């Protein structure tokens, strides 16, 4: 496990509070918050990695979440795929774990940045402004990785931007590091 994450695109104060106390509406800004994971490959070989976002149902909806992986400044798309249920098993029930995976590749001694956030490019997500998802992130060697082990250096953080009620003007930003589950950022990944 790497860290927890929280994706947000919603007002800071719940609508029920601002509806019952309209004077608070001016204090409630909309926040767009994403999860950023920086990964450095410290090995002398290219490394294929699987990043897994673990949530409870309803889970991460790839249609409402934007993922990008950037190594050379091009912010290429990262494909999010929910793990299918085992053969003969129904889709996850309410309260069950949902694992969403994406694969990334890093050349030797290269660093990449993964961004996962609500997809604000979609009008339905912007108009609803009611997206909230929490979970945790796992990192492992991809099945396509030829090495039995690899050493990586990781940092995880949340970054967010605050907007006015019309989602037009940026009013401020936040960025903060997240504690890593291992207590350190140097991780040795070993095929199990």
């Amino acid at each position: 496990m790497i860290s927890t994450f929280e994706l947000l695109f919603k007002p800071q104060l719940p609508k029920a509070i601002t509806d019952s106390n309209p004077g608070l509406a001016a204090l409630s800004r909309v926040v767009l918050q994403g999860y950023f994971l920086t990964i450095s490959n410290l090995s002398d070989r290219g490394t294929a990695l699987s990043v897994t976002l673990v949530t409870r149902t309803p889970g991460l909806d790839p249609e409402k979440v934007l993922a990008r992986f950037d190594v050379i400044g091009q912010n290429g798309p990262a494909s999010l795929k929910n793990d299918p249920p085992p053969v003969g098993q129904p889709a996850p029930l309410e309260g069950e774990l949902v694992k969403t995976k994406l694969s990334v590749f890093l050349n030797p001694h290269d660093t990449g940045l993964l961004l996962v956030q609500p997809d604000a490019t979609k009008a339905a997500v912007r108009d609803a402004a009611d997206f909230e998802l929490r979970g945790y992130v796992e990192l492992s060697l991809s099945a396509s990785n030829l090495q039995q082990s690899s050493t990586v250096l990781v940092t995880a953080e949340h970054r967010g931007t605050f907007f006015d009620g019309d989602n037009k003007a940026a009013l401020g930003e936040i960025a903060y590091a997240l504690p890593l589950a291992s207590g350190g950022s140097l991780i040795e990944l070993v095929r199990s």
Side-chain angles (χ1 to χ4, degrees):
M1 183 170 14
I2 297 297
S3 68
T4 59
F5 73 89
E6 179 181 51
L7 307 180
L8 298 171
F9 192 18
K10 66 185 305 175
Q12 289 174 286
L13 292 175
K15 189 167 174 21
I17 291 175
T18 56
D19 284 350
S20 66
N21 190 344
L24 293 175
L27 300 175
S28 185
R29 301 175 292 173
V30 174
V31 61
L32 171 62
Q33 178 175 282
Y35 176 78
F36 291 74
L37 182 64
T38 304
I39 309 168
S40 295
N41 176 11
L42 303 181
S43 109
D44 291 328
R45 292 183 172 185
T47 301
L49 302 168
S50 288
V51 180
T52 305
L53 297 116
V54 182
T55 59
R56 289 247 176 228
T57 53
L60 188 149
D61 181 350
E63 294 300 313
K64 294 180 181 177
V65 174
L66 176 75
R68 294 284 187 259
F69 187 68
D70 183 28
V71 177
I72 57 172
Q74 294 182 350
N75 292 311
S79 178
L80 294 165
K81 293 188 172 125
N82 286 333
D83 269 0
V87 175
Q89 297 293 317
L93 300 174
E94 177 97 19
E96 291 184 334
L97 291 180
V98 176
K99 293 188 174 192
T100 305
K101 292 187 179 180
L102 56 98
S103 295
V104 299
F105 181 83
L106 284 169
N107 286 313
H109 305 284
D110 209 350
T111 299
L113 176 65
L114 173 68
L115 156 66
V116 181
Q117 72 176 36
D119 192 349
T121 67
K122 296 192 174 167
V125 174
R126 284 192 315 274
D127 293 345
D130 190 29
F131 186 95
E132 184 173 8
L133 184 67
R134 292 177 194 85
Y136 59 90
V137 178
E138 298 173 333
L139 185 66
S140 60
L141 293 174
S142 174
S144 65
N145 195 66
L146 300 177
Q147 303 173 141
Q148 290 301 308
S149 66
S150 188
T151 303
V152 295
L153 187 65
V154 299
T155 57
E157 65 181 330
H158 282 142
R159 297 182 197 169
T161 302
F162 293 99
F163 298 89
D164 65 12
D166 295 327
N167 298 332
K168 292 182 182 172
L171 297 175
E173 296 181 350
I174 55 170
Y176 52 95
L178 298 170
L180 300 177
S182 67
S185 57
L186 186 65
I187 299 173
E188 180 74 22
L189 298 171
V190 179
R191 187 173 310 286
S192 50

PDB file of all heavy atoms in Angstrom, residues 8-18 24-25 27-32 125-132 134 161-165 167:
ATOM      1  N   LEU A   8     -12.155  15.113  -5.000  1.00  0.00           N
ATOM      2  CA  LEU A   8     -13.291  15.980  -4.712  1.00  0.00           C
ATOM      3  C   LEU A   8     -13.586  16.917  -5.869  1.00  0.00           C
ATOM      4  O   LEU A   8     -12.662  17.420  -6.517  1.00  0.00           O
ATOM      5  CB  LEU A   8     -13.009  16.861  -3.486  1.00  0.00           C
ATOM      6  CG  LEU A   8     -12.772  16.196  -2.149  1.00  0.00           C
ATOM      7  CD1 LEU A   8     -12.298  17.227  -1.130  1.00  0.00           C
ATOM      8  CD2 LEU A   8     -14.034  15.510  -1.670  1.00  0.00           C
ATOM      9  N   PHE A   9     -14.847  17.148  -6.113  1.00  0.00           N
ATOM     10  CA  PHE A   9     -15.309  18.275  -6.917  1.00  0.00           C
ATOM     11  C   PHE A   9     -16.677  18.623  -6.365  1.00  0.00           C
ATOM     12  O   PHE A   9     -17.700  18.117  -6.805  1.00  0.00           O
ATOM     13  CB  PHE A   9     -15.381  17.926  -8.396  1.00  0.00           C
ATOM     14  CG  PHE A   9     -15.587  19.139  -9.290  1.00  0.00           C
ATOM     15  CD1 PHE A   9     -15.337  20.425  -8.831  1.00  0.00           C
ATOM     16  CD2 PHE A   9     -16.009  19.000 -10.588  1.00  0.00           C
ATOM     17  CE1 PHE A   9     -15.507  21.531  -9.636  1.00  0.00           C
ATOM     18  CE2 PHE A   9     -16.185  20.093 -11.422  1.00  0.00           C
ATOM     19  CZ  PHE A   9     -15.936  21.361 -10.946  1.00  0.00           C
ATOM     20  N   LYS A  10     -16.676  19.457  -5.334  1.00  0.00           N
ATOM     21  CA  LYS A  10     -17.923  19.790  -4.648  1.00  0.00           C
ATOM     22  C   LYS A  10     -17.706  20.979  -3.734  1.00  0.00           C
ATOM     23  O   LYS A  10     -16.558  21.331  -3.446  1.00  0.00           O
ATOM     24  CB  LYS A  10     -18.455  18.589  -3.880  1.00  0.00           C
ATOM     25  CG  LYS A  10     -17.597  18.128  -2.726  1.00  0.00           C
ATOM     26  CD  LYS A  10     -18.130  16.868  -2.082  1.00  0.00           C
ATOM     27  CE  LYS A  10     -19.554  17.032  -1.650  1.00  0.00           C
ATOM     28  NZ  LYS A  10     -20.184  15.841  -1.137  1.00  0.00           N
ATOM     29  N   PRO A  11     -18.784  21.585  -3.246  1.00  0.00           N
ATOM     30  CA  PRO A  11     -18.636  22.693  -2.299  1.00  0.00           C
ATOM     31  C   PRO A  11     -18.014  22.204  -0.991  1.00  0.00           C
ATOM     32  O   PRO A  11     -18.203  21.057  -0.583  1.00  0.00           O
ATOM     33  CB  PRO A  11     -20.071  23.161  -2.073  1.00  0.00           C
ATOM     34  CG  PRO A  11     -20.849  22.644  -3.232  1.00  0.00           C
ATOM     35  CD  PRO A  11     -20.172  21.369  -3.637  1.00  0.00           C
ATOM     36  N   GLN A  12     -17.278  23.120  -0.341  1.00  0.00           N
ATOM     37  CA  GLN A  12     -16.657  22.782   0.938  1.00  0.00           C
ATOM     38  C   GLN A  12     -17.705  22.478   2.007  1.00  0.00           C
ATOM     39  O   GLN A  12     -17.523  21.571   2.807  1.00  0.00           O
ATOM     40  CB  GLN A  12     -15.801  23.947   1.440  1.00  0.00           C
ATOM     41  CG  GLN A  12     -14.549  24.161   0.660  1.00  0.00           C
ATOM     42  CD  GLN A  12     -13.863  25.413   1.133  1.00  0.00           C
ATOM     43  OE1 GLN A  12     -14.324  26.509   0.839  1.00  0.00           O
ATOM     44  NE2 GLN A  12     -12.788  25.244   1.859  1.00  0.00           N
ATOM     45  N   LEU A  13     -18.751  23.253   2.057  1.00  0.00           N
ATOM     46  CA  LEU A  13     -19.817  23.038   3.031  1.00  0.00           C
ATOM     47  C   LEU A  13     -20.966  22.281   2.362  1.00  0.00           C
ATOM     48  O   LEU A  13     -21.345  22.606   1.233  1.00  0.00           O
ATOM     49  CB  LEU A  13     -20.347  24.373   3.559  1.00  0.00           C
ATOM     50  CG  LEU A  13     -19.392  25.184   4.432  1.00  0.00           C
ATOM     51  CD1 LEU A  13     -20.012  26.529   4.783  1.00  0.00           C
ATOM     52  CD2 LEU A  13     -19.034  24.425   5.688  1.00  0.00           C
ATOM     53  N   PRO A  14     -21.538  21.304   3.052  1.00  0.00           N
ATOM     54  CA  PRO A  14     -22.682  20.578   2.477  1.00  0.00           C
ATOM     55  C   PRO A  14     -23.844  21.520   2.170  1.00  0.00           C
ATOM     56  O   PRO A  14     -24.099  22.487   2.900  1.00  0.00           O
ATOM     57  CB  PRO A  14     -23.060  19.581   3.577  1.00  0.00           C
ATOM     58  CG  PRO A  14     -21.816  19.419   4.386  1.00  0.00           C
ATOM     59  CD  PRO A  14     -21.121  20.753   4.338  1.00  0.00           C
ATOM     60  N   LYS A  15     -24.548  21.224   1.072  1.00  0.00           N
ATOM     61  CA  LYS A  15     -25.668  22.052   0.644  1.00  0.00           C
ATOM     62  C   LYS A  15     -26.732  22.183   1.732  1.00  0.00           C
ATOM     63  O   LYS A  15     -27.342  23.239   1.876  1.00  0.00           O
ATOM     64  CB  LYS A  15     -26.266  21.465  -0.637  1.00  0.00           C
ATOM     65  CG  LYS A  15     -27.289  22.352  -1.299  1.00  0.00           C
ATOM     66  CD  LYS A  15     -27.588  21.873  -2.700  1.00  0.00           C
ATOM     67  CE  LYS A  15     -28.683  22.571  -3.409  1.00  0.00           C
ATOM     68  NZ  LYS A  15     -29.101  23.867  -3.009  1.00  0.00           N
ATOM     69  N   ALA A  16     -26.945  21.134   2.507  1.00  0.00           N
ATOM     70  CA  ALA A  16     -27.942  21.193   3.586  1.00  0.00           C
ATOM     71  C   ALA A  16     -27.597  22.300   4.585  1.00  0.00           C
ATOM     72  O   ALA A  16     -28.490  22.962   5.120  1.00  0.00           O
ATOM     73  CB  ALA A  16     -28.033  19.846   4.294  1.00  0.00           C
ATOM     74  N   ILE A  17     -26.310  22.515   4.830  1.00  0.00           N
ATOM     75  CA  ILE A  17     -25.895  23.568   5.774  1.00  0.00           C
ATOM     76  C   ILE A  17     -26.102  24.945   5.166  1.00  0.00           C
ATOM     77  O   ILE A  17     -26.650  25.841   5.819  1.00  0.00           O
ATOM     78  CB  ILE A  17     -24.416  23.369   6.190  1.00  0.00           C
ATOM     79  CG1 ILE A  17     -24.288  22.114   7.046  1.00  0.00           C
ATOM     80  CG2 ILE A  17     -23.877  24.592   6.938  1.00  0.00           C
ATOM     81  CD1 ILE A  17     -22.868  21.751   7.413  1.00  0.00           C
ATOM     82  N   THR A  18     -25.698  25.138   3.906  1.00  0.00           N
ATOM     83  CA  THR A  18     -25.856  26.470   3.296  1.00  0.00           C
ATOM     84  C   THR A  18     -27.319  26.779   2.987  1.00  0.00           C
ATOM     85  O   THR A  18     -27.707  27.940   2.988  1.00  0.00           O
ATOM     86  CB  THR A  18     -24.994  26.611   2.024  1.00  0.00           C
ATOM     87  OG1 THR A  18     -25.317  25.562   1.110  1.00  0.00           O
ATOM     88  CG2 THR A  18     -23.514  26.549   2.363  1.00  0.00           C
ATOM     89  N   LEU A  24     -23.954  31.452   5.225  1.00  0.00           N
ATOM     90  CA  LEU A  24     -22.721  30.681   5.079  1.00  0.00           C
ATOM     91  C   LEU A  24     -22.371  30.383   3.618  1.00  0.00           C
ATOM     92  O   LEU A  24     -21.258  29.961   3.316  1.00  0.00           O
ATOM     93  CB  LEU A  24     -22.830  29.365   5.850  1.00  0.00           C
ATOM     94  CG  LEU A  24     -22.908  29.481   7.366  1.00  0.00           C
ATOM     95  CD1 LEU A  24     -23.126  28.103   7.990  1.00  0.00           C
ATOM     96  CD2 LEU A  24     -21.650  30.127   7.920  1.00  0.00           C
ATOM     97  N   ALA A  25     -23.327  30.607   2.716  1.00  0.00           N
ATOM     98  CA  ALA A  25     -23.101  30.275   1.301  1.00  0.00           C
ATOM     99  C   ALA A  25     -21.889  31.013   0.737  1.00  0.00           C
ATOM    100  O   ALA A  25     -21.145  30.462  -0.083  1.00  0.00           O
ATOM    101  CB  ALA A  25     -24.343  30.582   0.479  1.00  0.00           C
ATOM    102  N   LEU A  27     -19.195  31.611   2.148  1.00  0.00           N
ATOM    103  CA  LEU A  27     -17.967  30.992   2.634  1.00  0.00           C
ATOM    104  C   LEU A  27     -17.648  29.678   1.925  1.00  0.00           C
ATOM    105  O   LEU A  27     -16.532  29.185   2.006  1.00  0.00           O
ATOM    106  CB  LEU A  27     -18.059  30.714   4.139  1.00  0.00           C
ATOM    107  CG  LEU A  27     -18.289  31.917   5.040  1.00  0.00           C
ATOM    108  CD1 LEU A  27     -18.478  31.448   6.475  1.00  0.00           C
ATOM    109  CD2 LEU A  27     -17.131  32.890   4.925  1.00  0.00           C
ATOM    110  N   SER A  28     -18.640  29.115   1.294  1.00  0.00           N
ATOM    111  CA  SER A  28     -18.478  27.790   0.702  1.00  0.00           C
ATOM    112  C   SER A  28     -18.043  27.906  -0.749  1.00  0.00           C
ATOM    113  O   SER A  28     -18.800  28.307  -1.610  1.00  0.00           O
ATOM    114  CB  SER A  28     -19.794  27.014   0.788  1.00  0.00           C
ATOM    115  OG  SER A  28     -19.593  25.706   0.329  1.00  0.00           O
ATOM    116  N   ARG A  29     -16.807  27.536  -1.006  1.00  0.00           N
ATOM    117  CA  ARG A  29     -16.288  27.526  -2.366  1.00  0.00           C
ATOM    118  C   ARG A  29     -16.279  26.093  -2.882  1.00  0.00           C
ATOM    119  O   ARG A  29     -16.262  25.146  -2.111  1.00  0.00           O
ATOM    120  CB  ARG A  29     -14.869  28.100  -2.386  1.00  0.00           C
ATOM    121  CG  ARG A  29     -14.834  29.524  -1.859  1.00  0.00           C
ATOM    122  CD  ARG A  29     -13.430  30.039  -1.768  1.00  0.00           C
ATOM    123  NE  ARG A  29     -12.707  29.314  -0.723  1.00  0.00           N
ATOM    124  CZ  ARG A  29     -11.409  29.455  -0.491  1.00  0.00           C
ATOM    125  NH1 ARG A  29     -10.688  30.263  -1.216  1.00  0.00           N
ATOM    126  NH2 ARG A  29     -10.821  28.774   0.473  1.00  0.00           N
ATOM    127  N   VAL A  30     -16.276  25.933  -4.184  1.00  0.00           N
ATOM    128  CA  VAL A  30     -16.183  24.611  -4.794  1.00  0.00           C
ATOM    129  C   VAL A  30     -14.707  24.258  -4.889  1.00  0.00           C
ATOM    130  O   VAL A  30     -13.875  25.085  -5.274  1.00  0.00           O
ATOM    131  CB  VAL A  30     -16.836  24.602  -6.195  1.00  0.00           C
ATOM    132  CG1 VAL A  30     -16.608  23.266  -6.896  1.00  0.00           C
ATOM    133  CG2 VAL A  30     -18.326  24.886  -6.073  1.00  0.00           C
ATOM    134  N   VAL A  31     -14.364  23.009  -4.522  1.00  0.00           N
ATOM    135  CA  VAL A  31     -12.976  22.561  -4.601  1.00  0.00           C
ATOM    136  C   VAL A  31     -12.865  21.415  -5.607  1.00  0.00           C
ATOM    137  O   VAL A  31     -13.708  20.521  -5.644  1.00  0.00           O
ATOM    138  CB  VAL A  31     -12.424  22.129  -3.218  1.00  0.00           C
ATOM    139  CG1 VAL A  31     -13.207  20.959  -2.639  1.00  0.00           C
ATOM    140  CG2 VAL A  31     -10.944  21.800  -3.295  1.00  0.00           C
ATOM    141  N   LEU A  32     -11.846  21.497  -6.455  1.00  0.00           N
ATOM    142  CA  LEU A  32     -11.465  20.407  -7.340  1.00  0.00           C
ATOM    143  C   LEU A  32     -10.146  19.882  -6.804  1.00  0.00           C
ATOM    144  O   LEU A  32      -9.138  20.591  -6.824  1.00  0.00           O
ATOM    145  CB  LEU A  32     -11.291  20.892  -8.784  1.00  0.00           C
ATOM    146  CG  LEU A  32     -10.687  19.878  -9.769  1.00  0.00           C
ATOM    147  CD1 LEU A  32     -11.572  18.652  -9.899  1.00  0.00           C
ATOM    148  CD2 LEU A  32     -10.450  20.522 -11.119  1.00  0.00           C
ATOM    149  N   VAL A 125     -20.038  16.381 -14.872  1.00  0.00           N
ATOM    150  CA  VAL A 125     -19.299  16.403 -13.600  1.00  0.00           C
ATOM    151  C   VAL A 125     -19.264  17.834 -13.062  1.00  0.00           C
ATOM    152  O   VAL A 125     -19.487  18.067 -11.871  1.00  0.00           O
ATOM    153  CB  VAL A 125     -17.869  15.840 -13.781  1.00  0.00           C
ATOM    154  CG1 VAL A 125     -17.043  15.999 -12.508  1.00  0.00           C
ATOM    155  CG2 VAL A 125     -17.932  14.376 -14.198  1.00  0.00           C
ATOM    156  N   ARG A 126     -19.006  18.810 -13.938  1.00  0.00           N
ATOM    157  CA  ARG A 126     -18.969  20.225 -13.516  1.00  0.00           C
ATOM    158  C   ARG A 126     -20.333  20.681 -13.028  1.00  0.00           C
ATOM    159  O   ARG A 126     -20.454  21.336 -12.001  1.00  0.00           O
ATOM    160  CB  ARG A 126     -18.509  21.118 -14.661  1.00  0.00           C
ATOM    161  CG  ARG A 126     -17.046  21.086 -14.960  1.00  0.00           C
ATOM    162  CD  ARG A 126     -16.626  22.215 -15.904  1.00  0.00           C
ATOM    163  NE  ARG A 126     -17.495  22.424 -17.039  1.00  0.00           N
ATOM    164  CZ  ARG A 126     -17.405  21.760 -18.192  1.00  0.00           C
ATOM    165  NH1 ARG A 126     -16.477  20.842 -18.352  1.00  0.00           N
ATOM    166  NH2 ARG A 126     -18.239  22.030 -19.190  1.00  0.00           N
ATOM    167  N   ASP A 127     -21.366  20.362 -13.791  1.00  0.00           N
ATOM    168  CA  ASP A 127     -22.711  20.843 -13.448  1.00  0.00           C
ATOM    169  C   ASP A 127     -23.202  20.265 -12.125  1.00  0.00           C
ATOM    170  O   ASP A 127     -23.830  20.960 -11.333  1.00  0.00           O
ATOM    171  CB  ASP A 127     -23.703  20.509 -14.562  1.00  0.00           C
ATOM    172  CG  ASP A 127     -23.411  21.277 -15.850  1.00  0.00           C
ATOM    173  OD1 ASP A 127     -22.638  22.270 -15.798  1.00  0.00           O
ATOM    174  OD2 ASP A 127     -23.935  20.879 -16.907  1.00  0.00           O
ATOM    175  N   ALA A 128     -22.914  18.988 -11.888  1.00  0.00           N
ATOM    176  CA  ALA A 128     -23.349  18.363 -10.635  1.00  0.00           C
ATOM    177  C   ALA A 128     -22.539  18.887  -9.459  1.00  0.00           C
ATOM    178  O   ALA A 128     -23.074  19.093  -8.377  1.00  0.00           O
ATOM    179  CB  ALA A 128     -23.227  16.847 -10.724  1.00  0.00           C
ATOM    180  N   ALA A 129     -21.245  19.109  -9.661  1.00  0.00           N
ATOM    181  CA  ALA A 129     -20.331  19.573  -8.603  1.00  0.00           C
ATOM    182  C   ALA A 129     -20.613  18.837  -7.294  1.00  0.00           C
ATOM    183  O   ALA A 129     -20.737  19.441  -6.228  1.00  0.00           O
ATOM    184  CB  ALA A 129     -20.424  21.083  -8.415  1.00  0.00           C
ATOM    185  N   ASP A 130     -20.725  17.516  -7.386  1.00  0.00           N
ATOM    186  CA  ASP A 130     -21.053  16.709  -6.213  1.00  0.00           C
ATOM    187  C   ASP A 130     -20.289  15.386  -6.262  1.00  0.00           C
ATOM    188  O   ASP A 130     -20.861  14.320  -6.077  1.00  0.00           O
ATOM    189  CB  ASP A 130     -22.566  16.465  -6.149  1.00  0.00           C
ATOM    190  CG  ASP A 130     -22.978  15.840  -4.824  1.00  0.00           C
ATOM    191  OD1 ASP A 130     -22.292  16.084  -3.817  1.00  0.00           O
ATOM    192  OD2 ASP A 130     -23.975  15.091  -4.812  1.00  0.00           O
ATOM    193  N   PHE A 131     -18.982  15.462  -6.527  1.00  0.00           N
ATOM    194  CA  PHE A 131     -18.164  14.262  -6.639  1.00  0.00           C
ATOM    195  C   PHE A 131     -17.262  14.150  -5.416  1.00  0.00           C
ATOM    196  O   PHE A 131     -16.572  15.100  -5.055  1.00  0.00           O
ATOM    197  CB  PHE A 131     -17.294  14.323  -7.906  1.00  0.00           C
ATOM    198  CG  PHE A 131     -16.544  13.052  -8.160  1.00  0.00           C
ATOM    199  CD1 PHE A 131     -17.060  12.091  -9.005  1.00  0.00           C
ATOM    200  CD2 PHE A 131     -15.339  12.800  -7.541  1.00  0.00           C
ATOM    201  CE1 PHE A 131     -16.377  10.902  -9.243  1.00  0.00           C
ATOM    202  CE2 PHE A 131     -14.645  11.622  -7.764  1.00  0.00           C
ATOM    203  CZ  PHE A 131     -15.166  10.674  -8.615  1.00  0.00           C
ATOM    204  N   GLU A 132     -17.267  12.964  -4.811  1.00  0.00           N
ATOM    205  CA  GLU A 132     -16.448  12.718  -3.621  1.00  0.00           C
ATOM    206  C   GLU A 132     -16.122  11.227  -3.588  1.00  0.00           C
ATOM    207  O   GLU A 132     -17.015  10.397  -3.653  1.00  0.00           O
ATOM    208  CB  GLU A 132     -17.263  13.123  -2.389  1.00  0.00           C
ATOM    209  CG  GLU A 132     -16.555  13.026  -1.092  1.00  0.00           C
ATOM    210  CD  GLU A 132     -17.396  13.619   0.047  1.00  0.00           C
ATOM    211  OE1 GLU A 132     -18.587  13.960  -0.169  1.00  0.00           O
ATOM    212  OE2 GLU A 132     -16.850  13.730   1.141  1.00  0.00           O
ATOM    213  N   ARG A 134     -13.115   8.379  -1.800  1.00  0.00           N
ATOM    214  CA  ARG A 134     -11.930   8.118  -0.981  1.00  0.00           C
ATOM    215  C   ARG A 134     -11.550   6.654  -1.087  1.00  0.00           C
ATOM    216  O   ARG A 134     -12.393   5.798  -1.325  1.00  0.00           O
ATOM    217  CB  ARG A 134     -12.215   8.441   0.485  1.00  0.00           C
ATOM    218  CG  ARG A 134     -12.423   9.888   0.747  1.00  0.00           C
ATOM    219  CD  ARG A 134     -12.785  10.142   2.222  1.00  0.00           C
ATOM    220  NE  ARG A 134     -13.287  11.488   2.362  1.00  0.00           N
ATOM    221  CZ  ARG A 134     -14.538  11.862   2.155  1.00  0.00           C
ATOM    222  NH1 ARG A 134     -15.448  10.960   1.812  1.00  0.00           N
ATOM    223  NH2 ARG A 134     -14.907  13.108   2.276  1.00  0.00           N
ATOM    224  N   THR A 161      -7.822  23.114  -6.288  1.00  0.00           N
ATOM    225  CA  THR A 161      -8.097  24.490  -6.683  1.00  0.00           C
ATOM    226  C   THR A 161      -9.500  24.830  -6.223  1.00  0.00           C
ATOM    227  O   THR A 161     -10.418  24.029  -6.378  1.00  0.00           O
ATOM    228  CB  THR A 161      -7.999  24.648  -8.220  1.00  0.00           C
ATOM    229  OG1 THR A 161      -6.689  24.256  -8.635  1.00  0.00           O
ATOM    230  CG2 THR A 161      -8.254  26.075  -8.649  1.00  0.00           C
ATOM    231  N   PHE A 162      -9.653  26.033  -5.668  1.00  0.00           N
ATOM    232  CA  PHE A 162     -10.958  26.509  -5.217  1.00  0.00           C
ATOM    233  C   PHE A 162     -11.544  27.445  -6.264  1.00  0.00           C
ATOM    234  O   PHE A 162     -10.825  28.252  -6.864  1.00  0.00           O
ATOM    235  CB  PHE A 162     -10.831  27.252  -3.882  1.00  0.00           C
ATOM    236  CG  PHE A 162     -10.433  26.355  -2.754  1.00  0.00           C
ATOM    237  CD1 PHE A 162      -9.113  26.290  -2.341  1.00  0.00           C
ATOM    238  CD2 PHE A 162     -11.368  25.576  -2.103  1.00  0.00           C
ATOM    239  CE1 PHE A 162      -8.738  25.465  -1.296  1.00  0.00           C
ATOM    240  CE2 PHE A 162     -11.008  24.738  -1.062  1.00  0.00           C
ATOM    241  CZ  PHE A 162      -9.691  24.689  -0.660  1.00  0.00           C
ATOM    242  N   PHE A 163     -12.862  27.324  -6.478  1.00  0.00           N
ATOM    243  CA  PHE A 163     -13.572  28.141  -7.453  1.00  0.00           C
ATOM    244  C   PHE A 163     -14.753  28.822  -6.790  1.00  0.00           C
ATOM    245  O   PHE A 163     -15.225  28.387  -5.741  1.00  0.00           O
ATOM    246  CB  PHE A 163     -14.109  27.255  -8.593  1.00  0.00           C
ATOM    247  CG  PHE A 163     -13.035  26.558  -9.356  1.00  0.00           C
ATOM    248  CD1 PHE A 163     -12.566  25.315  -8.955  1.00  0.00           C
ATOM    249  CD2 PHE A 163     -12.480  27.141 -10.484  1.00  0.00           C
ATOM    250  CE1 PHE A 163     -11.573  24.668  -9.661  1.00  0.00           C
ATOM    251  CE2 PHE A 163     -11.488  26.500 -11.194  1.00  0.00           C
ATOM    252  CZ  PHE A 163     -11.022  25.264 -10.785  1.00  0.00           C
ATOM    253  N   ASP A 164     -15.266  29.871  -7.457  1.00  0.00           N
ATOM    254  CA  ASP A 164     -16.491  30.495  -6.961  1.00  0.00           C
ATOM    255  C   ASP A 164     -17.664  29.595  -7.316  1.00  0.00           C
ATOM    256  O   ASP A 164     -17.488  28.528  -7.898  1.00  0.00           O
ATOM    257  CB  ASP A 164     -16.650  31.908  -7.522  1.00  0.00           C
ATOM    258  CG  ASP A 164     -16.834  31.934  -9.036  1.00  0.00           C
ATOM    259  OD1 ASP A 164     -17.073  30.867  -9.643  1.00  0.00           O
ATOM    260  OD2 ASP A 164     -16.732  33.023  -9.615  1.00  0.00           O
ATOM    261  N   GLY A 165     -18.856  30.012  -6.993  1.00  0.00           N
ATOM    262  CA  GLY A 165     -20.043  29.188  -7.217  1.00  0.00           C
ATOM    263  C   GLY A 165     -20.300  28.843  -8.669  1.00  0.00           C
ATOM    264  O   GLY A 165     -20.984  27.884  -8.966  1.00  0.00           O
ATOM    265  N   ASN A 167     -17.926  28.046 -10.781  1.00  0.00           N
ATOM    266  CA  ASN A 167     -16.782  27.239 -11.235  1.00  0.00           C
ATOM    267  C   ASN A 167     -15.966  27.953 -12.309  1.00  0.00           C
ATOM    268  O   ASN A 167     -15.424  27.335 -13.200  1.00  0.00           O
ATOM    269  CB  ASN A 167     -17.230  25.878 -11.769  1.00  0.00           C
ATOM    270  CG  ASN A 167     -17.905  25.053 -10.714  1.00  0.00           C
ATOM    271  OD1 ASN A 167     -17.627  25.192  -9.537  1.00  0.00           O
ATOM    272  ND2 ASN A 167     -18.810  24.195 -11.135  1.00  0.00           N
TER     273      ASN A 167
END
